[in-house]
Amino acid sequence: MAVVGGIMVPHPPLIIPEVGKGREHIIDETARSYDKAADFIKELAPETVVLVSPHSVMYSNYLHISPGYKASGNMGRFGAMQVHIEAEYDADFSSLLCELAEENNIMAGYEGQRDPSLDHGTLVPLYFVLKKYGDFNLVRCGISGLPLITHYSFGKLIQLAAERLGKRVAIIASGDLSHRLKEDGPYGFNPAGPVYDEMIMDVMERGAFRELLNFDLRLLDEAGECGHRSFIIMGGAFDGLNVDVEKYSHQDVTGVGYGVCTYRAT
């Protein structure tokens, strides 16, 4: 067994009805796409889900992998303490991932955990997926300030770990797109925002993951992107594989870009 597929999804707290309290309807298209993506994960039936969140522990020179055997979190900071999720970690997989990183001189591992609770970049995808499928253990990874190519190389180690352990593995690349798409959005407007969203959706709907490495770092910064490195890690996990892609949606109505795509390894 190996990496069997993955999904690209955003993580707006608003999309959870207990948080949105009716306002979530402005991104109904994204919510419907999320439901389809969760169905896709159910169809893949993975034993392990590797979830990459840009809101997990982050360092400039180190990719953090969550340690331990389980974790939990809630949406209390967004006014919905009742949305509580628990996850069982795949400690065998994460441990091997740490070993492979050391062997390949990639700065990644268990060190430096500040807060073990699940972040909203993890909670939002799990909120949808667990409604449809829960027969898996989780591996949670963060992103870092390391070069883009290092994130891709780290993704390749996910594929290698899946092969060595003989497990069916799915990837959830959690990440919003540009945060600077509208003047009245939460982060204002920057011309780089729409440029980035058009470019990233073009690349992701073609599954041209290596092109993610060619994005100008200044563009990423000016666009206020969130998920680029998550998407790169997922791309590395598909390295050398044939992948069927389906784009479900792209919305920008809140001033933040939300893209949903699915990827099936064939």
Side-chain angles (χ1 to χ4, degrees), residues 112-150:
Q113 177 168 259
R114 299 188 296 267
D115 181 0
S117 61
L118 300 177
D119 62 282
H120 78 274
T122 300
L123 291 168
V124 174
L126 290 182
Y127 177 89
F128 284 90
V129 170
L130 289 174
K131 286 182 176 181
K132 306 294 182 76
Y133 180 74
D135 193 18
F136 63 87
N137 288 330
L138 183 70
V139 175
R140 181 173 61 141
C141 303
I143 62 171
S144 75
L146 290 167
L148 300 184
I149 186 62
T150 304

Side-chain angles (χ1 to χ4, degrees), residues 94-113:
S94 64
S95 177
L96 177 56
L97 197 53
C98 291
E99 292 174 15
L100 291 172
E102 183 174 5
E103 290 173 10
N104 288 272
N105 297 313
I106 292 176
M107 295 297 292
Y110 289 150
E111 295 180 15
Q113 177 168 259

Side-chain angles (χ1 to χ4, degrees), residues 69-88:
Y69 295 93
K70 60 183 178 179
S72 64
N74 63 67
M75 296 297 286
R77 42 169 304 216
F78 302 100
M81 186 74 74
Q82 71 273 31
V83 179
H84 178 86
I85 291 175
E86 297 182 355
E88 298 288 330

